């Protein structure tokens, strides 16, 4: 395949991934299959690491875009990000001892439950019931960050969706605030994963650089769309991404 065409196709995939990731997460649904299709000879660890390099630029940009327009609950976001950083590092290390695929049926069930709950609760995340954050909120954020951070380092699919759902359900955020806070934690999990991959596998640096630029463009577009259309738009995107995740995991598990 022509190298320029290949990079162009990967760039388009990265743009779409950046857009989706900036709104609700789930960009890996687009970016990772594109990398596997383009480089079937490469090791999975190399492609996962390259994906993280490309996506962290867009995720960081989305976090900055949101921070300019939406008040970020730093009192819970920072402890959650720290816990996510540690959890993601140990999750990546745990891959050497336990195959991540054993989680697939469990994650499938959890995503189905999340989708059903969100569909049934029409008001979920549309109106904020967020309390003044004290010690209890910090403890919840630490728990969310540690558990989901470990999951992201160990397996990954649906990380953004789980973060958003838990911030809404346990901390009373609306979809927009939850998406903003999830971005902060996603940056931390990506940093931890990159630190692990850089020291342990060879990465496709040139490919990652091209995809990072395109992912950044998609992230800027996606974050602006989310800010313009608000929580209702984010909720619809959330349900769409969760439904696609369910379909993909069901195919991988039973197909």
């Amino acid at each position: 395949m022509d190298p320029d065409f290949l990079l162009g196709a990967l760039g388009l995939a990265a743009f779409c991934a950046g857009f989706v990731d900036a709104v609700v997460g789930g960009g890996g649904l687009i970016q990772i299959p594109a990398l596997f299709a383009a480089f079937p000879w490469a090791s999975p660890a190399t492609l996962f690491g390259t994906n993280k390099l490309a996506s962290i630029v867009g995720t960081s940009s989305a976090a900055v875009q949101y921070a300019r327009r939406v008040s970020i609950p730093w009192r819970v976001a920072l402890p959650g990000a720290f816990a996510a950083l540690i959890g993601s590092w140990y999750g990546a290390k745990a891959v050497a001892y336990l195959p991540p695929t054993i989680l697939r049926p469990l994650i499938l069930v959890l995503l189905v439950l999340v989708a059903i709950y969100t569909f049934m609760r029409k008001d979920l995340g549309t109106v904020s019931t967020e309390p003044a954050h004290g010690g209890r909120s910090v403890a919840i954020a630490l728990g969310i960050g540690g558990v989901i951070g470990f999951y992201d380092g160990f397996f990954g699919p649906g990380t953004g969706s789980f973060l958003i759902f838990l911030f809404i359900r346990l901390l009373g955020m609306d979809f927009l605030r939850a998406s903003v806070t999830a971005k902060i934690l996603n940056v931390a999990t990506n940093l931890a994963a990159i630190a692990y991959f850089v020291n342990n596998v060879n990465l496709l640096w040139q490919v990652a650089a091209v995809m990072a630029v395109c992912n950044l463009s998609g992230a800027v577009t996606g974050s602006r769309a989310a800010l313009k259309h608000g929580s209702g738009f984010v909720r619809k995107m959330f349900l769409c991404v969760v439904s696609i995740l369910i379909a993909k995991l069901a195919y991988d598990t039973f197909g």
Side-chain angles (χ1 to χ4, degrees):
M1 186 180 293
D2 179 68
D4 292 335
F5 176 82
L6 188 65
L7 278 178
L10 288 172
L12 178 61
F15 176 88
C16 296
F19 182 94
V20 172
D21 229 18
V23 182
V24 290
L29 279 170
I30 303 169
Q31 211 161 251
I32 291 174
L35 282 164
F36 271 88
F39 303 103
W41 46 265
S43 72
T46 292
L47 299 182
F48 282 126
T50 302
N51 170 67
K52 290 293 186 185
L53 282 172
S55 61
I56 192 172
V57 177
T59 303
S60 301
S61 169
V64 171
Q65 291 284 326
Y66 282 127
R68 292 173 178 169
R69 297 274 299 277
V70 179
S71 175
I72 296 177
W74 291 110
R75 188 164 187 181
V76 294
L78 288 179
F82 176 76
L85 184 79
I86 303 301
S88 181
W89 173 266
Y90 281 102
K93 290 187 70 173
V95 175
Y97 305 99
L98 202 64
T101 50
I102 65 168
L103 284 180
R104 192 176 289 144
L106 174 62
I107 300 308
L108 178 59
V109 172
L110 290 176
L111 283 170
V112 169
L113 293 176
V114 165
I116 291 172
Y117 188 87
T118 307
F119 271 116
M120 291 180 65
R121 290 286 302 274
K122 302 295 183 183
D123 61 334
L124 183 73
T126 57
V127 178
S128 175
T129 57
E130 202 173 343
H133 294 303
R136 179 177 179 275
S137 294
V138 171
I140 291 172
L142 285 168
I144 292 172
V147 172
I148 304 300
F150 181 91
Y151 169 74
D152 191 33
F154 184 67
F155 189 52
T159 294
S161 299
F162 284 129
L163 284 172
I164 290 171
F165 179 79
L166 290 172
F167 285 137
I168 293 170
R169 185 66 185 84
L170 300 181
L171 292 176
M173 298 180 185
D174 60 31
F175 266 101
L176 192 57
R177 285 259 290 184
S179 182
V180 173
T181 310
K183 294 295 164 292
I184 305 300
L185 271 69
N186 268 152
V187 171
T189 61
N190 284 345
L191 278 174
I194 287 170
Y196 178 82
F197 284 126
V198 164
N199 288 309
N200 290 278
V201 299
N202 294 317
L203 302 178
L204 306 175
W205 290 96
Q206 288 183 313
V207 173
V210 172
M211 293 182 74
V213 172
C214 296
N215 190 283
L216 173 62
S217 300
V220 170
T221 306
S223 55
R224 286 177 179 174
L227 289 167
K228 179 180 179 180
H229 299 291
S231 289
F233 171 75
V234 178
R235 183 180 190 273
K236 291 175 183 175
M237 285 285 291
F238 173 83
L239 286 170
C240 180
V241 168
V242 168
S243 298
I244 294 171
L245 271 167
I246 290 170
K248 184 182 184 303
L249 283 173
Y251 177 81
D252 291 342
T253 303
F254 306 110

